[in-house]
């Protein structure tokens, strides 16, 4: 067995929660890149950001993602900024797996993160930072995504079921839309 799908998107789009449910549906493993970084460093993402800065975190993240793409099976959820690294993008291309972009309106994401105390990039002004991150990352996300799913108004189980159905259709050679219909 090999890696089956990678989830990308802004913070709070539901990558981790949806990824766990998707892995259960697919009967496979789930891996979160932030958890890999924390396990490798013995520190939380917030601690790495506070002590060493974003660049150090991104370096650790890229190494963790490249290794996961080469060695892990199942569903892999990437941190929101993981695609910024050249090595991560190259590893994604080499892995040749479906990449699912999870999206939701900024207002929805802001409601999901609350005060964002566990999300270092969002703590000062979650809504403004999410807007800014969306502007910075949207084109890159779209460039690498093979499927785009709107998570707004859907619970993680519904999103996971939709992704699983799309992957099933893809494996059976059925035509599929690249953007999920509403």
């Amino acid at each position: 067995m090999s890696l089956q799908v990678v989830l990308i998107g802004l913070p709070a789009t539901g990558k981790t929660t949806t990824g766990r449910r998707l892995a259960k549906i697919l009967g496979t493993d789930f891996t979160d890149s932030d958890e890999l970084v924390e396990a490798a460093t013995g520190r939380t993402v917030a601690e790495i950001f506070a002590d060493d800065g974003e660049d150090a975190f991104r370096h650790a993240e890229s190494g963790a993602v490249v290794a996961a793409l080469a060695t892990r099976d199942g569903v892999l959820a990437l941190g929101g900024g993981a695609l910024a690294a050249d090595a991560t993008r190259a590893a994604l291309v080499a892995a040749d797996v479906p990449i699912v972009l999870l999206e939701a309106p900024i207002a929805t994401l802001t409601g999901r993160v609350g005060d964002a105390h566990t999300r270092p990039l969002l703590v000062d002004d979650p809504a403004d930072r999410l807007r800014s991150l969306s502007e910075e990352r949207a084109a890159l996300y779209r460039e690498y995504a093979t499927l785009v799913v709107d998570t707004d108004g859907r619970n993680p189980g519904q999103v996971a079921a939709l992704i699983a159905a799309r992957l099933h259709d893809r494996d059976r050679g059925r035509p599929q839309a690249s953007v999920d219909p509403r």
Side-chain angles (χ1 to χ4, degrees), residues 34-154:
D34 285 349
E35 292 173 2
L36 291 175
V37 171
E38 290 177 348
T41 64
R43 298 184 294 162
T44 67
V45 171
E47 289 169 338
I48 297 167
F49 266 80
D51 296 343
D52 303 329
E54 184 176 359
D55 288 344
F57 171 76
R58 294 295 173 209
H59 179 74
E61 177 184 53
S62 180
V65 170
V66 169
L69 287 167
T71 62
R72 301 266 178 158
D73 291 337
V75 178
L76 174 62
L78 300 187
L83 287 184
D86 292 337
T88 298
R89 293 191 308 273
L92 283 168
V93 170
D96 191 32
V97 296
I99 300 171
V100 180
L101 169 60
L102 301 183
E103 293 186 321
I106 299 300
T108 298
L109 300 178
T110 302
R112 290 178 183 170
V113 299
D115 67 5
H117 71 280
T118 62
R119 297 174 186 259
L121 286 178
L122 305 180
V123 288
D124 292 333
D125 183 349
D128 186 54
R129 284 298 294 145
L130 284 164
R131 270 190 290 285
S132 177
L133 291 172
S134 178
E135 290 169 9
E136 292 170 17
R137 299 173 178 173
L140 192 58
Y141 287 156
R142 289 284 176 145
E143 179 181 345
Y144 283 84
T146 53
L147 174 64
V148 179
V149 177
D150 185 350
T151 66
D152 190 37
R154 292 180 171 138

Side-chain angles (χ1 to χ4, degrees), residues 3-4 6 8 26 32 43 45 53-54 77 84 91-92 96 99 103-104 121 131 146 156-157 159-160 166 178-180:
L3 195 68
Q4 294 171 317
V6 173
I8 62 173
L26 298 176
D32 180 278
R43 298 184 294 162
V45 171
E54 184 176 359
L92 283 168
D96 191 32
I99 300 171
E103 293 186 321
L121 286 178
R131 270 190 290 285
T146 53
V159 175
R166 292 294 173 79
S178 62
V179 177
D180 96 272

